[in-house]
Every structure is written in structure tokens, then in C-alpha cells.
Amino acid sequence: MTGPAARATRPVVRFRFDGRAYEARAGDTLAAALLANGVTLVARSFKYHRPRGIMAAGVEEPSALVTVGTGGRREPNTRATDVLVYDGLEAFSQNAWPSLELDLGAVNGWLARLIPAGFYYKTFFGPPRRWMLYERFIRRAAGLGAPPMEPDPDAFAHRAAFCDLLVVGAGPAGLAAALAAAEAGQRVMLVEQDARVGGALLRDPVTIDGMAGLPWAEAAAQRIRMAGGRVLLRATANGYWDGNLVTVVERLAEPGQEPGPSGLVQRLWKVRAGRVLLATGAIERPLAFAGNDRPGVMLSQAVRGYVRRFGVVPGRRAVIATSHDDGYRTAFALAEAGAEVVAVLDGRARPEGDLVERARARFPVFAAARPIATRTNGHRLAGVTAEVAGRKQAFAADLLAMAGGQTPVVHLHKQAGGALDWDEVTQAFVPGPSRQGQRSLGAAAGRPALAAILAEAWQAGGGATRSFAVEDPCGPVQPAAAAVIPARLPGKAFVDFQNDVTLDDIDLAWREGYRSVEHLKRYTTLGMATDQGKTSNMAALARLAQAQGVAIPQAGLTTFRPPYTPTTLGAFAGPAVGDHAGPVRRLRLHSAHEALGAIWLPSGYWFRPRAYPQPGETPAEASLREARMVRSRVGLVDVSTLATFEIAGPDAAALLERVCATTVGRLAVGRGRYTFMLREDGLVFDDGTVWRIAEERFLLTSSTGGADRMAQHLSYVRNVLAPDLRVSVVNLQEHHCAVAIAGPRATAVLERLTGDVAPLHMHCHGAEIAGGAVLVLAASYSGERAFEVYAPGDRIAAVWAALLAAAQEAGGGAYGLDAMDHLRVEKGHVVVGAEVDGRGTPADLGLGGMVRKAGGFVGWQGLQRPVLADPAGRRHLVGVESLAGPLPEGAMLVSRAGDEPQGHVTTAAPRVAGEGWIGLALLRDGASRHGETLHAWSATRGLDVPVRIGPPLFYDPEGARYRD
């Protein structure tokens, strides 16, 4: 504890707020530093843009949200109370324009009667084109701070830990429990969200066993470390999961700060603990009165913390408004720091006790008194109007400290599945029975007396029963009774300070029928801000209970969801960013494609060549040239990423008959067939080909992006639906590589290389290329005569080189994914992720005639449902032909711009064999609408293209080009 006198002894730290330079002291939070510099206006509220200052001193701060840092390190919506100042810190106010002092958004306050709670549910109605107008304004108003546009230059880490005992919170209770356990030989981990241990000892001058509170706390932490325990500071336990798994986010650098040599700014710990002790403290409640959100209105314990921990006095003339004895502690702290306490407003009718009598001897104390309104001078608090024994009285003051009761921090206890009990004395929920191995201690359990807290915590940690000698200059701590919320209040009395929810909003929601607390929350946005209702929920529940005429527990309770405090997405991602976000698989032929000048496109886990542009070509020009090369001569494409499975055994055909929706079991050796697979609900989820290599050996191929899904599906069918079948399934994707060769000259190229007759369409046989054995499958995706050549991965480079040389000699070359897409659109071939989107049946996609009538495959029963069997009203695959320029992929199909969408364009491409643009689409009742003219409308891109609907086949409808 420092106090104002010791503040000057700490090193100077320089920072900037809204472009202006200030000085702070080492160890200050940004909030403490701003208060020390006389800055009281730091933010604007979300809805009404009301001026807001600093209310709290910890993570419960609802108002003082700022943006910290610049460039990729910029972090919006950061609590000024939870950022330690460092040299060079840059902070900015947010949600204000053109400036914090003069914010034009404050006009919303004058329009408050027009925009009460839930106004958006009654306002934004009408046709889609009107919504586009609404959206423009909604997007501008949404949010508070702006996210960074630049990549985050810093690194995040994940780490696992195991311990016998995890203690959350390094206040007196947490320290006592962790110390007892560590010195008993247990593996202990103690985590504290603050930068210092001590908790309430940082603001209250008590002695423990003859030692001042703060030195006692620091000594206890050192003893824990010496006993082998791990103490993490700036570490927040943000989630409690099943199996006593607690996630902890440790800050290694402050927001916006350049990290140390490791480059790490945060580390996410995943802690498995035998037991968990929650010493998470309690949060002070604000009071409800008109203007309770103004700069200068603060929580009482926060004021005490700024005075005694940081040496900062937030005001010179203070009014204390309290419902219990703790407010008097703040009065004494302010007086010791040189501030004038002009009044103590005690809401109790007859406050009594030694602390109250000592206060009466020093300050004006008023019983049955409460604040009812505030007034300001500019944006700064200038006075408080109170109701004292039924009469109004005004006080000139620049600080109002509120002590409205205590709310135990039960978030982690509830996340762990624990129950809550109701404490009638404190009007608060306290931890009840636990479901996992957790127990709450100290203020988090609703305990007020420090000596009893320490004794209980020591025993909970595993120590022998003992007592602690505690001396408190203010006397024993009494239970904190909650303030009563008056039935009626003039003006705006805020409950949720960040989202601008008032008591009147809660009353309105009640009158409009939102009686459930969960409905009330969503209708008013109460508790949905970044603080998740830490200071607002209990007041809202009390008001709801008043309206219902029931006790607060009967009014209900919202859900306590992780994370406990806002957590940056970088911490969740950890090292899984960029190329580390997931496995990145490079083709065996990656270097060969690079040598040809490939540009790359992510496809599932893989990066595949998108096109091979020649000098001066754009990717679009290159892909069209490559597609026309295939149509007229010959081209090669790497198809090694296709999912490939070998199905072998006496019952291989029977397994495939269950997996595939087409007839495949009667295939002759050396033959293949196109097939598709359904989910159990009857909808198509993948397609591919089946080849019978030998009597009891098949090869199944499916889409690149669905490889893992197909592997899981085969495993499910094999091991769950048909465990009795004598069959093995082997994933060959990492073993086999393949090259497809297509075009009018493909047959000649292949026969010259193999010295053998090429297989007929949908036939396969073995051959030899470049001195090694290959498997040749005759299948076409392009609409031209085509073959897929499979070889082991260690031999595919030689096969590719031989095929490429022969193709180039025949006037062809390599082509990429874009060209492949152009070719398949002309033939109407579907692709997973576009046309196969998990919502279509075989009939929807024009594949109904291929379905095996006898059934017996996965999804057969689902197909019999009337909703799928009846084609009326379903989306069917159709072809679309642009009548005026490029076709926007993803565009809605409408009768005219702004109408209700009837379908959408799934894929669009320029014609390869001809001019103009074509595409595939899913259109409601599309099979019966060939010849209609609709519009492909994209409101976001401002495009409106007339299109003609037709069959999904634009090239060689007879199939003569790919047949023998």
C-alpha cells in the first residue's frame, strides 16, 4: 500500500491518451494514471453516447473502455482499469465523433424516448430493399472500438499443466489455501488476474499475525514458490470445464505493448487439477439513481483502491452513498488522503456500531438517506441531490462513492456445474453444492470476517486447524447488506452502464410481456456487453422481482458462460495461425508446379495450382487459355489430392453397396462407375467413382475437401452399421498420387507412352510409364476423352515429367483448378461445397435416375420421407446463361432486383467453347422452369444480370466427346 505521499517515489512512465502526453507512475493502471492527471471523461456509452468516466478498479469496469496500441497491436474495448501503463503506451477513446469532448452521437440522448429498449424489434421492417438501407446505418452504429486491419505481429502460446490443487485468486483466502497445500507437499498452482498478490489487502490496512497485510501477502506468495508451487500473475481463469479442466489466460505483455524476446504476448494454460479452490472475491454493486453514470460517480471500494494502492485521490469533495458499513472505510481513506467528505448517505434507517460512531464524530452522516440525482459542470460531477429522511438536500461534490452491497464472483463455480444458494442478509447468490471438485472461499463464498476466512482457507488447502490474528483499524467487517432499489426514480437511472439499459427499460420490457430473465436480457441487451453484467445483473434481477412481487431467487438467473473476461481470439488460436492454423499439405509435385509458374489456391488441407499464367496474363486469362487448350488439344492436371480408398475382402462389394447410392456391387473387374454417397437423412454429401480392380478389391475416390469426412463415414459404416462384414478399408490418399490427362489428343499421348491400347471409357487397367507400373482409369471430368494415371508417391515425378513432355509435344500443357472448373461447368458436373451443399437430394441434383431402387444403402430411409420424395418446392440444379455480361457467382436468382430470392448461382464461368458467361444454380422448382428469364442479383456487389434458365449442360449433350 502506498498512498498519495509515497506515489512520488515511484519511477515516471510516459504515455499518451487521445494524442496528448501524460505522466504516470510505475505500477499504475491506465485508469489510475488518467485520474492522477485529472482526466475524468474517458469514454462514451454505446447507445446514447453519454459521457462516461472510471467507475471501478478491476475487470468489472463497465464504462471506461478504450482502444490501446497502434497498427496490428491495436486492441479495442480494453478496460482502462485492466491495463498497466508502460512507456510509450498509446490509448484512444472510442465511440465518439468528432471528438470525445464534443460527440455528435450524443444527440441520441435527446432522442431517447424514440429509441427505448427493443425499439429495433419494432422499427426495422419491410421489404429487403428497405433493409439494405437500414443495414447501412446499423453497421455504422454497431460496436464500440474499431478492430485492427493489420495482421497481429505477435505470438500466442498454449500450454498444459497438471496439479493437485489449483487456487484461483491470490487474495488472503487464496494465498492461505495455496500456502497450506504447498507446504503440505501438494503440487499447487495459484493464478491471479492482477499484477500483484493481495486482493483486498491492497486497499485495506489490516495486519495478519502481526505483519502488515501487503507484506504478509507477498511473503506468502514467496513461500509458495519456495515450496515448489507455481504462482501466475496477470493470469485470468476464464473458463471451468468438465473433468476439472480450467483454462487460464496469462498476459506476458500489456495490450499494445511490444513483447519480450520470446515474442509471446499471451499464453493459454489448460490446467487439469485434482481440486480447485475458488477465491475469486466479490464485486461491489452500484446504486440506482438519476445520473448514476456520470464521470465522478464511482464504486466505493474502487475509490479506496485508487487512494491506497495507487496514491490517487479521484476527487476533493466527496459524498459517500452506502447501504452498509464498508462505505465508511472509504470515507476514512479519503479523509486520510486530504479529501473533504461532505456527506455520508447511509440508506439504513438506524445505522449503528463503533465504525459508524467514529464516522459521525468526523463527518456529516445522514441516516435513511440516498442519492436521487446528480448535476454536472461540463462533463464533471459538480453536485449530488439526496433524499434525507424524506426531504431533498443538495451537496456540492466532485466525487460520489457508491457502496450498494457485494456480489460474490460465482461465475467459475456455476460454469463447473455448481448450484447457488440465496443469502437473505446480503441479498446475494452464494455458492451452493458443487458438481466437480471445486470449493469457494472468502468473499466468493459470501464470508465477511477475514480471520474466519483465513482459518477456513488454510484448512481447505490441507493445513491443520489453526487461527489467524487479524487487526483491522476499522473494526470487524460486517455483512454487506444490499441497497434497496426505489420503486420510482426521476430521470435515467442506469443499470447496465455499457449498453445504456435503465430501470425504465426493464419496466418497459416487463409491461410488454418479457417476464423471463433470459427474455428480458435479450430484449433490453442487459448484461450482454463486454462486462457480461458483472455490475448490472443483480440490480436487474431485483427490479424484475419487484415487478413480479416475488423474492429475487424466484425471478430467475441468467447463465454464466465462459470466458469470464473478454479474451482475444489470438489466445484461443495460440500458435495455430497462418500456415500453422491446420495441417498444410503440399503436393508431391509441388516443385514441378512451381517450375511451371503455378499460382496457388487452398483446397481442403492442400495447396493446388490455380493456373499457370504466362508473362502478361492475368489468372482469369490464363485459366481460360488452359481450358481451351484442353478442349482443342490436350492438358494435364494434378489430381493427387482426391480422397482414395482401397476396399478389399470377400464382402468388399457388400460394404460399397451400403455406402454408395448407386449400383456398384455388380461391376465387372476392370470397370468403374460414377457414384455418390448420402447422409442418413437422405441428402447428398459427396460423390466420386468406384473401380473394381480385382474380384475382391475396389478403389473408391471422392472429393478432395471431403477426404476426412469420407474416411469417418466409411469407418462408421464398417464398424457400426456392418461390423460383421469381412472387409478392410485403407486410406491411400498419402500413398497414391494421380495425374489426369484430358483432351482430343489424350488417347494418342497415353498410347504412345504406354505402348498399349488406352482403356475404354469407365474401364481401367495396368500399364507402364517411365519404367514403372501405373494404374490407368478412363474417366472424364472435363467432357473430353480423359484418363487418370495413378502411381506411388515416390514415382509420380517421373510419370508427370513423361506425361508433360508428351503433352507439350502434342501442343498441350498443364492446367489448374480454375480451368478445371470452367470445363466442368460446361458439362454440368457438380462439386462438393457448391452444388452439393448438404441440402440436396439426388433428384434435386439431377441424379435421381441413378439411385438404386432396391435401397439398402445409407440414406435410403431418409429419401422415403415425403418432404424429400415430393420434388415440388425444392431447389433443383439448373443451368443459367447470362444475357448481359459476366455472371456474379453467389448471386440470388430473383424476378427483379429486391424481390424474394428463388435460388442462387452456385458456380459461374466464361464459356470455353464459345463466348459469354454460363453457370450452375439451385432454383426452386427449377426442373420445370427451363426457358424462363430471371435476374442474377447481388446487392452487396451492385450487380443485376438477366439470365436464361435451362438444363445444366452446355457442351456435347450426347457425350460423344468423351466416349470411345
Side-chain angles (χ1 to χ4, degrees):
M1 222 171 299
T2 59
R7 178 175 176 78
T9 64
R10 289 186 278 137
V12 172
V13 178
R14 292 174 175 81
F15 72 101
R16 301 177 73 85
F17 179 66
D18 276 349
R20 185 173 177 181
Y22 296 97
E23 288 187 353
R25 297 290 173 170
D28 279 355
T29 62
L30 178 57
L34 290 171
L35 287 171
N37 283 277
V39 179
T40 56
L41 175 63
V42 297
R44 291 280 178 166
S45 65
F46 171 64
K47 184 176 175 183
Y48 298 128
H49 287 246
R50 286 173 66 92
R52 292 287 164 81
I54 294 156
M55 176 176 288
V59 298
E60 70 275 16
E61 172 60 52
S63 298
L65 300 185
V66 297
T67 295
V68 179
T70 58
R73 291 193 174 97
R74 185 168 81 245
E75 185 173 307
N77 303 334
T78 302
R79 299 170 300 282
T81 54
D82 194 33
V83 179
L84 295 179
V85 176
Y86 52 86
D87 258 323
L89 180 146
E90 292 257 10
F92 308 90
S93 59
Q94 51 189 39
N95 201 42
W97 184 86
S99 69
L100 181 61
E101 291 281 344
L102 180 63
D103 178 18
L104 295 183
V107 70
N108 286 0
W110 297 95
L111 303 175
R113 293 179 64 86
L114 302 177
I115 50 174
F119 76 95
Y120 30 80
Y121 293 118
K122 311 165 190 174
T123 305
F124 302 118
F125 290 100
R129 58 176 168 272
R130 192 181 298 172
W131 172 252
M132 301 305 293
L133 175 66
Y134 298 150
E135 186 181 30
R136 218 174 294 164
F137 294 98
I138 293 171
R139 285 191 178 277
R140 285 182 188 169
L144 291 168
M149 294 295 104
E150 303 86 346
D152 191 334
D154 299 324
F156 299 80
H158 286 178
R159 186 169 176 181
F162 301 86
C163 59
D164 298 317
L165 176 66
L166 172 66
V167 181
V168 180
L175 287 165
L179 180 59
E183 294 189 340
Q186 297 182 49
R187 294 178 301 165
V188 174
M189 192 168 180
L190 172 64
V191 299
E192 167 57 49
Q193 65 191 5
D194 204 339
R196 300 179 67 183
V197 297
L201 302 178
L202 291 165
R203 66 171 183 262
D204 291 328
V206 304
T207 63
I208 300 173
D209 289 344
M211 185 183 294
L214 195 52
W216 177 90
E218 291 167 346
Q222 185 59 26
R223 287 171 62 186
I224 293 167
R225 293 186 183 99
M226 292 176 63
R230 175 181 279 145
V231 180
L232 297 182
L233 300 179
R234 297 298 277 153
T236 302
N238 69 352
Y240 199 137
W241 317 88
D242 286 342
N244 265 9
L245 171 66
V246 179
T247 47
V248 178
V249 177
E250 179 188 16
R251 281 192 189 173
L252 305 174
E254 293 300 309
Q257 186 178 25
E258 188 171 338
S262 70
L264 295 176
V265 291
Q266 292 186 21
R267 179 183 290 119
L268 177 66
W269 293 78
K270 301 174 184 178
V271 184
R272 290 279 184 186
R275 294 188 300 137
V276 179
L277 296 179
L278 303 175
T280 47
I283 293 172
E284 192 161 38
R285 299 183 201 172
L287 300 174
F289 53 89
N292 61 344
D293 63 324
R294 298 187 188 280
V297 180
M298 301 178 66
L299 295 175
S300 169
Q301 290 183 350
V303 171
R304 205 154 75 237
Y306 287 117
V307 170
R308 288 194 169 136
R309 174 177 177 177
F310 300 108
V312 175
V313 183
R316 288 298 165 187
R317 288 179 56 82
V319 170
I320 313 297
T322 185
S323 63
H324 54 100
D325 283 2
D326 192 74
Y328 291 90
R329 294 173 178 267
T330 301
F332 283 109
L334 284 167
E336 290 166 8
E340 179 186 358
V341 178
V342 298
V344 177
L345 307 176
D346 195 323
R348 296 173 293 186
R350 296 182 184 82
E352 54 188 22
D354 180 63
L355 184 60
V356 175
E357 294 306 318
R358 287 167 53 194
R360 282 194 171 115
R362 191 167 179 181
F363 317 119
V365 175
F366 299 91
R370 61 180 180 86
I372 58 174
T374 59
R375 61 182 177 84
T376 59
N377 182 7
H379 296 310
R380 177 72 202 232
L381 183 71
V384 178
T385 302
E387 184 182 86
V388 180
R391 309 179 80 178
K392 288 185 180 180
Q393 189 167 341
F395 302 93
D398 59 1
L399 174 66
L400 172 56
M402 306 178 287
Q406 300 286 320
T407 301
V409 177
V410 297
H411 300 65
L412 295 178
H413 173 78
K414 279 293 289 179
Q415 290 173 19
L420 295 180
D421 294 331
W422 178 252
D423 187 329
E424 193 63 38
V425 174
T426 60
Q427 292 286 289
F429 288 102
V430 296
S434 301
R435 188 174 66 85
Q436 301 193 55
Q438 87 271 16
R439 177 178 174 183
S440 296
L441 301 172
R447 308 284 194 273
L450 182 55
I453 286 172
L454 291 168
E456 181 185 12
W458 184 268
Q459 194 169 3
T465 303
R466 60 156 295 188
S467 60
F468 289 80
V470 174
E471 295 182 15
D472 187 338
C474 288
V477 177
Q478 302 299 321
V484 176
I485 298 178
R488 296 189 63 82
L489 283 169
K492 283 186 171 60
F494 287 89
V495 177
D496 188 314
F497 295 87
Q498 191 174 135
N499 275 358
D500 280 341
V501 180
T502 66
L503 287 175
D504 288 342
D505 290 328
I506 296 173
D507 294 342
L508 174 65
W510 168 263
R511 290 196 302 271
E512 296 192 353
Y514 292 90
R515 309 296 169 87
S516 162
V517 65
E518 293 288 359
H519 292 163
L520 173 77
K521 173 179 177 178
R522 284 152 183 82
Y523 187 69
T524 63
T525 72
L526 174 84
M528 296 175 67
T530 61
D531 68 331
Q532 288 290 288
K534 290 180 175 63
T535 58
S536 63
N537 281 349
M538 287 307 302
L541 290 176
R543 189 61 159 198
L544 187 62
Q546 278 182 350
Q548 293 180 355
V550 299
I552 292 178
Q554 295 174 267
L557 189 65
T558 57
T559 303
F560 294 85
R561 295 184 176 89
Y564 171 63
T565 56
T567 303
T568 178
L569 294 177
F572 292 122
V577 296
D579 286 348
H580 299 286
V584 175
R585 299 180 182 176
R586 300 194 185 279
L587 300 167
R588 290 280 190 136
L589 296 172
H590 185 88
S591 58
H593 297 304
E594 286 276 15
L596 293 173
I599 55 175
W600 299 94
L601 186 71
S603 177
Y605 291 132
W606 303 86
F607 278 86
R608 300 180 66 184
R610 178 184 176 187
Y612 303 87
Q614 295 178 354
E617 270 189 332
T618 65
E621 292 167 343
S623 59
L624 188 56
R625 171 184 54 78
E626 291 165 8
R628 286 173 174 166
M629 174 186 70
V630 175
R631 283 276 181 258
S632 60
R633 298 182 297 280
V634 64
L636 267 72
V637 63
D638 189 340
V639 293
S640 301
T641 61
L642 289 176
T644 312
F645 302 91
E646 183 180 272
I647 319 293
D651 296 327
L655 178 69
L656 285 168
E657 289 277 293
R658 292 193 179 220
V659 171
C660 302
T662 63
T663 301
V664 295
R666 295 200 296 270
L667 281 173
V669 174
R671 294 295 304 271
R673 179 165 293 167
Y674 171 78
T675 190
F676 46 88
M677 288 64 74
L678 309 184
R679 300 192 311 234
E680 289 185 304
D681 58 5
L683 301 179
V684 180
F685 81 90
D686 212 334
D687 69 342
T689 57
V690 176
W691 305 86
R692 194 162 201 159
I693 308 302
E695 186 62 35
E696 295 183 356
R697 182 167 160 246
F698 292 79
L699 191 69
L700 171 67
T701 70
S702 63
S703 66
T704 295
D708 287 351
R709 183 174 61 244
M710 181 55 67
Q712 293 172 358
H713 186 65
L714 287 168
S715 175
Y716 170 66
V717 176
R718 167 68 183 84
N719 296 303
V720 177
L721 301 184
D724 55 323
L725 294 182
R726 298 165 298 164
V727 62
S728 70
V729 179
V730 179
N731 190 338
L732 298 178
Q733 190 183 40
E734 299 292 340
H735 174 71
H736 276 171
C737 291
V739 177
I741 179 169
R745 302 176 187 174
T747 301
V749 168
L750 186 65
E751 289 181 344
R752 190 173 71 234
L753 280 177
T754 62
D756 196 0
V757 176
L760 301 176
H761 181 64
M762 297 312 292
H763 287 64
C764 62
H765 67 217
E768 185 176 301
I769 295 178
V774 297
L775 176 65
V776 181
L777 314 177
S780 177
Y781 192 63
S782 62
E784 304 295 334
R785 188 80 161 97
F787 308 91
E788 293 175 10
V789 180
Y790 283 80
D794 59 353
R795 292 212 61 259
I796 197 63
V799 173
W800 169 268
L803 286 168
L804 181 62
Q808 289 173 336
E809 188 177 333
Y815 67 99
L817 285 183
D818 280 3
M820 186 190 301
D821 209 45
H822 297 348
L823 295 166
R824 69 101 182 166
V825 169
E826 281 196 329
K827 287 296 294 180
H829 293 154
V830 298
V831 69
V832 174
E835 292 76 34
V836 180
D837 62 0
R839 296 182 290 173
T841 67
D844 296 339
L845 300 174
L847 305 173
M850 299 179 64
V851 174
R852 190 164 71 249
K853 302 301 185 290
F857 52 86
V858 174
W860 167 251
Q861 290 87 350
L863 279 179
Q864 310 313 305
R865 291 181 294 161
V867 69
L868 298 187
D870 183 1
R874 295 194 57 79
R875 302 174 313 142
H876 300 151
L877 181 69
V878 296
V880 290
E881 181 180 2
S882 171
L883 302 179
L887 186 61
E889 193 169 278
M892 297 294 106
L893 292 176
V894 296
S895 296
R896 64 170 182 261
D899 282 0
E900 189 73 21
Q902 303 173 43
H904 70 283
V905 178
T906 57
T907 313
R911 278 189 183 272
V912 179
E915 300 299 327
W917 280 73
I918 56 174
L920 301 177
L922 293 171
L923 177 65
R924 187 168 61 243
D925 295 321
S928 61
R929 300 176 67 178
H930 294 178
E932 282 189 27
T933 298
L934 296 174
H935 288 257
W937 174 57
S938 175
T940 56
R941 287 171 283 184
L943 297 175
D944 183 3
V945 180
V947 295
R948 182 182 297 113
I949 307 300
L953 183 57
F954 301 93
Y955 178 75
D956 186 27
E958 298 81 14
R961 300 277 299 184
Y962 63 81
R963 297 190 186 279
D964 311 300

